[in-house]
């Protein structure tokens, strides 16, 4: 059971006596609302896995299913999201959407930018909450601010929400923790239903955030008439298949372990992706930095030739996300440039790929899906790669030194 204190409240807790909640400014009593948290013991135990992070990587098929369960009715061709339904006019008529977040949630926001603009044809800006709150951003009453946070307690994101509300914007929260500060502060929102994330490095939070934002974008697109009914239904069917496809990617674990063993002592690593998978490259690099302390950078693949290519030699592993959907030929051209400089290539490719396989030192296959959903699959091998490298280096993956 939990009582959430609002700003300007204090609680007096004494053994064996009733909790007293008071307003600080006038000492008046507040009648506290006691909320029961839905949490079971299995969710916060390792369940036979060596680390929480590994357990949470393997929980992603179920976590994504739980996130769209009850919201996405594939047979009926319906998406139900109370937070969107109740505020549809305000959200659908927005002049623009501003996404504010930090870290992994910011990367989920970058993926959402592509999805919202592509499907719903709404202009989107993605901001680091820490930058957004400290400048003087131009925000109007016609803007919708989507705040993303796993914990719902991220201080910079919370401050960005308050700033947006002061300017009259509509704030929509995407959180995992029920009753968290951001979920209470936002005008409306949606929970990810990922279950507790104990490992410090976000894994299932990232994929469930993308799932919620995809549902939201599809719902807006249908309402705004920017996609056909058949395209809408096709997206629902493909999203429903994602958990089974993630399960298939997880079967690559032993192969990924071999790659980790090969490159665990590399001092640097480059991650490249294009379009929907550029944010995945950033996220892959962040995971490696965060838990193994190896320097890694994520780049849009086309930007490689504008400087970073100077870093590539025979000791530089380069992870290239080269799925068959989206700019494939361009990415193959980037891979050829890396190969010409003796770089070591790890390709994340679609099943049956031949062009990248011929050039790469290692490939990890993912099942085929529509382009907008590929991040849900391509991120999985990168999470596993970071995990295995960190374990092999003897690092504490669940509680890294940050």
């Amino acid at each position: 059971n939990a009582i959430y204190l609002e700003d300007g409240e204090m609680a007096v807790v004494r053994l064996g006596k009733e909790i007293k909640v008071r307003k600080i400014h006038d000492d008046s009593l507040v009648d506290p609302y006691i909320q029961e948290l839905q949490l079971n013991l299995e969710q916060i135990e390792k369940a036979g896995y060596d680390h929480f992070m590994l357990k949470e990587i393997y929980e992603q098929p179920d976590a994504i299913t739980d996130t769209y369960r009850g919201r996405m009715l594939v047979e009926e061709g319906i998406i139900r999201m109370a937070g969107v339904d109740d505020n549809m006019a305000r959200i659908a008529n927005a002049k623009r959407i501003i996404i504010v977040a930090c870290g992994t949630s910011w990367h989920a926001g970058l993926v959402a930018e592509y999805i919202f603009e592509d499907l719903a044809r709404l202009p989107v800006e993605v901001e680091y909450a820490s930058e957004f709150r400290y400048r003087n951003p131009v925000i109007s009453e016609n803007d919708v601010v989507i705040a993303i946070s796993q914990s719902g307690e991220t201080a910079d994101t919370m401050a960005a929400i308050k700033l947006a509300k002061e300017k009259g914007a509509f704030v929509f929260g995407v959180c995992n923790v029920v009753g968290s500060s951001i979920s209470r502060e936002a005008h409306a929102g949606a929970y990810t239903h990922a279950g507790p994330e104990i490992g410090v490095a976000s894994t299932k939070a990232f994929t469930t955030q993308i799932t919620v934002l995809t549902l939201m974008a599809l719902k807006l697109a249908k309402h705004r008439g920017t996609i056909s009914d058949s395209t809408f239904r096709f997206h629902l069917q493909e999203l429903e298949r994602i958990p089974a496809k993630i399960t298939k990617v997880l079967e690559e674990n032993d192969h990924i372990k071999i790659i980790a063993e090969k490159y665990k002592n590399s001092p640097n690593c480059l991650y490249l992706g294009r379009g929907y998978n550029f944010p995945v490259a950033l996220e892959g690099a962040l995971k490696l930095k965060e838990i193994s302390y190896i320097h890694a950078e994520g780049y849009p693949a086309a930007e490689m030739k504008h400087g970073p290519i100077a870093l590539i030699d025979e000791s530089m592993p380069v992870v290239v996300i080269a799925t068959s959907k989206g700019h494939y030929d361009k990415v193959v051209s980037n891979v050829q440039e890396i190969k010409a400089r003796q770089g070591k290539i790890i390709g994340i490719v679609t099943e049956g790929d031949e062009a990248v396989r011929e050039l790469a030192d290692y490939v990890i296959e993912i099942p085929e899906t529509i382009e907008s959903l590929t991040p849900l699959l391509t991120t999985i091998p990168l999470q596993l790669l970071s995990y295995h490298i960190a374990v092999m280096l003897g690092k504490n993956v669940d509680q890294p030194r940050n």
Side-chain angles (χ1 to χ4, degrees), residues 12-26:
V12 183
V13 186
R14 291 170 296 176
L15 189 63
K17 296 195 177 178
E18 199 181 352
I19 292 173
K20 290 271 199 306
V21 179
R22 296 179 179 274
K23 295 272 189 204
I24 292 170
H25 73 94
D26 64 2

Side-chain angles (χ1 to χ4, degrees), residues 315-326:
S315 65
M316 171 70 89
V318 185
V319 178
V320 184
I321 305 165
T323 55
S324 61
K325 297 287 195 296

Side-chain angles (χ1 to χ4, degrees), residues 94-110:
K95 286 281 188 289
R96 64 174 174 167
I97 292 172
I98 302 168
I99 296 175
V100 292
C102 301
T104 290
S105 296
W106 185 74
H107 296 152
L110 288 177

Side-chain angles (χ1 to χ4, degrees), residues 113-267:
E113 177 181 19
Y114 285 90
I115 296 170
F116 274 98
E117 292 197 342
D118 193 20
L119 298 176
R121 308 306 296 152
L122 277 165
V124 179
E125 293 173 19
V126 185
E127 302 259 8
Y128 282 116
S130 53
E131 287 295 311
F132 184 79
R133 65 176 286 202
Y134 286 116
R135 59 184 178 79
N136 187 16
V138 180
I139 311 170
S140 78
E141 293 166 5
N142 298 317
D143 293 329
V144 167
V145 173
I146 299 177
I148 312 171
S149 165
Q150 191 282 134
S151 64
E153 303 294 345
T154 313
D156 285 326
T157 307
M158 190 69 185
I161 286 177
K162 289 182 175 175
L163 175 63
K165 284 175 78 174
E166 283 167 18
K167 306 270 189 181
F170 179 80
V171 176
F172 189 93
V174 176
C175 305
N176 187 31
V177 180
V178 176
S180 55
S181 298
I182 287 173
S183 66
R184 300 198 316 277
E185 190 70 34
H187 294 113
Y191 288 115
T192 53
H193 303 305
E197 192 173 61
I198 310 295
V200 167
S202 275
T203 49
K204 61 180 179 172
F206 180 67
T207 47
T208 52
Q209 285 166 354
I210 291 172
T211 303
V212 162
L213 293 160
T214 298
L215 291 172
M216 189 177 174
L218 282 166
K219 192 167 178 59
L220 280 173
K222 178 91 181 294
H223 180 84
R224 287 168 56 84
T226 51
I227 57 171
S228 66
D229 276 358
S230 60
T231 303
F232 178 78
R233 282 178 176 272
F234 182 60
H235 275 76
L236 299 194
Q237 289 162 0
E238 282 297 308
L239 185 53
E240 189 180 40
R241 295 185 187 116
I242 286 292
K245 290 179 179 182
I246 291 178
T247 301
K248 198 168 181 195
V249 178
L250 291 167
E251 290 169 6
E252 298 267 348
N253 185 48
D254 289 345
H255 174 53
I256 293 167
K257 219 184 263 190
I258 293 166
I259 301 170
E261 181 66 48
K262 177 82 175 170
Y263 296 112
K264 67 175 192 267
N265 294 316
S266 301

